[in-house]
Amino acid sequence: MDQFATRKTLLDRLRETKINDPAWNDFYDSYGALILSVALKSGLSHADADDILQQTCEKVHKSIKKFDYDPSKGRFRSWLCLIVKQRIADHYRKLKKFPPLPSPLNENPEGPYVEIEDPVDDFQKIFDKEYTEHIQYCGKMCLKKKIRPDHYEIFNAYVIE
């Protein structure tokens, strides 16, 4: 099994444990940096991104028992993405801070129609891109632990850079 795919055993352990259990440490190690990165790329400060990470973990904790993991129906990370997206939207809603509208708007009915972009439309793409980068980083760190440092430097210089 791909070590970076969602482990059903981890989800089962999360369902059966309290928030301070080692299973939640595994969850945080697997997804914490991803959630933080997505929150930061959404324009939040580090402090606010940390809050989003905490709120996301709390929401997952409250909802994981109801989550039915079936890879044929969808991915765990899509569900997680939705939770992160909701937490970020809630944060902006509380601040009453919304993205600026393009100018000029459709003020002239005879003029060209101006489409207002919805920044949330691309959220799944942003999350998936961050997930891919996160998986690549985790893979490099895993490799770095398994091989000699000089071999890793050669690999990094030749393959990565």
Side-chain angles (χ1 to χ4, degrees):
M1 180 178 182
D2 178 8
Q3 76 181 81
F4 300 113
T6 299
R7 297 170 301 193
K8 184 171 180 350
T9 55
L10 174 60
L11 298 179
D12 291 341
R13 287 175 33 222
L14 293 177
R15 284 187 186 99
E16 299 169 2
T17 62
K18 297 186 189 269
I19 196 86
N20 60 355
D21 188 89
W24 285 98
N25 291 335
D26 288 349
F27 174 82
Y28 183 84
D29 290 344
S30 297
Y31 296 101
L34 171 65
I35 295 166
L36 195 61
S37 177
V38 169
L40 289 169
K41 295 244 168 113
S42 297
L44 300 178
S45 68
H46 282 280
D48 290 338
D50 284 335
D51 290 344
I52 296 299
L53 173 57
Q54 182 179 357
Q55 292 167 14
T56 300
C57 290
E58 288 172 3
K59 181 65 175 179
V60 169
H61 180 259
K62 289 178 184 173
S63 304
I64 193 72
K65 291 184 181 182
K66 298 175 198 164
F67 177 73
D68 180 28
Y69 179 60
D70 182 354
S72 67
K73 293 181 182 176
R75 303 173 301 189
F76 171 76
R77 77 172 178 260
S78 295
W79 181 70
L80 182 62
C81 173
L82 180 61
I83 293 173
V84 174
K85 179 180 173 181
Q86 290 169 341
R87 301 290 73 80
I88 292 170
D90 288 347
H91 174 80
Y92 280 117
R93 228 178 274 121
K94 287 177 188 170
L95 293 177
K96 296 186 183 325
K97 182 179 173 186
F98 302 103
L101 295 174
S103 184
L105 290 176
N106 300 323
E107 296 168 354
N108 178 0
E110 303 300 321
Y113 178 74
V114 178
E115 181 76 27
I116 300 174
E117 289 186 39
D118 183 357
V120 176
D121 279 350
D122 292 332
F123 197 84
Q124 184 70 47
K125 289 179 194 171
I126 293 168
F127 191 90
D128 286 344
K129 181 180 182 289
E130 288 301 307
Y131 179 78
T132 301
E133 290 175 9
H134 176 69
I135 293 303
Q136 291 170 348
Y137 173 78
C138 291
K140 288 193 306 186
M141 294 302 103
C142 185
L143 178 65
K144 193 172 187 177
K145 290 177 185 176
K146 292 184 177 191
I147 64 175
R148 291 184 6 206
D150 56 331
H151 288 180
Y152 179 80
E153 291 304 319
I154 292 167
F155 167 80
N156 191 51
Y158 184 73
V159 176
I160 304 300
E161 295 176 11

